[in-house]
Amino acid sequence: MAAKKSSSPDRAFKVADQIQRDLTELIARELKDPRVGLVTLQGVEVTPDYAHAKVFFSQLTGDPQATQAALNQAAGFLRNGLFKRLHIHTVPTLHFVFDRSCERAADMHALIAQALASRAKED
């Protein structure tokens, strides 16, 4: 008896990528919540059964907690928009998470610049 062939591992990446692109457009064009300013979707992680998706976002200005709350409150609306765009059997439940990696990168850049400046003064 042949082993059950699992779905392609690339499929999860393709679905996550498509969700990210569609959500970017939906948030920019159709979401009217004033708490959601300019957000950038950093990535999407989909569970193997496509039941849930973590959507990582960053923003330049505003309160990340308020934005996260607004996005999670609008998750049903956004998921409904994805139903109309995606051609997959299960559209995942969306969970928005603030991604601090850009913030950390800026902090590290500032520390490096500060270290280089103090080193230049010593020379």
Side-chain angles (χ1 to χ4, degrees), residues 44-58:
V44 176
E45 289 179 2
V46 181
T47 57
D49 62 356
Y50 300 102
H52 298 275
K54 273 188 188 177
V55 182
F56 297 94
F57 73 94
S58 65

Side-chain angles (χ1 to χ4, degrees), residues 47-107:
T47 57
D49 62 356
Y50 300 102
H52 298 275
K54 273 188 188 177
V55 182
F56 297 94
F57 73 94
S58 65
Q59 68 184 92
L60 291 174
T61 60
D63 179 19
Q65 285 79 21
T67 301
Q68 183 172 337
L71 287 170
N72 280 314
Q73 194 172 28
F77 169 77
L78 294 169
R79 184 175 185 228
N80 192 33
L82 287 176
F83 267 118
K84 296 172 186 172
R85 293 166 176 249
L86 294 175
H87 302 289
I88 59 174
H89 187 266
T90 303
V91 174
T93 301
L94 304 172
H95 306 279
F96 289 89
V97 180
F98 180 62
D99 183 5
R100 296 191 181 282
S101 60
C102 291
E103 198 176 277
R104 288 189 191 116
D107 290 345

Side-chain angles (χ1 to χ4, degrees), residues 8-64:
S8 167
D10 286 344
R11 184 169 188 265
F13 292 115
K14 287 178 183 176
V15 168
D17 187 52
Q18 189 62 48
I19 287 172
Q20 183 174 347
R21 281 184 291 197
D22 287 346
L23 278 177
T24 298
E25 197 172 302
L26 284 167
I27 290 169
R29 293 186 180 174
E30 297 184 27
L31 192 60
K32 305 295 184 213
D33 193 320
R35 296 175 292 174
V36 179
L38 291 173
V39 297
T40 302
L41 300 185
Q42 301 293 340
V44 176
E45 289 179 2
V46 181
T47 57
D49 62 356
Y50 300 102
H52 298 275
K54 273 188 188 177
V55 182
F56 297 94
F57 73 94
S58 65
Q59 68 184 92
L60 291 174
T61 60
D63 179 19

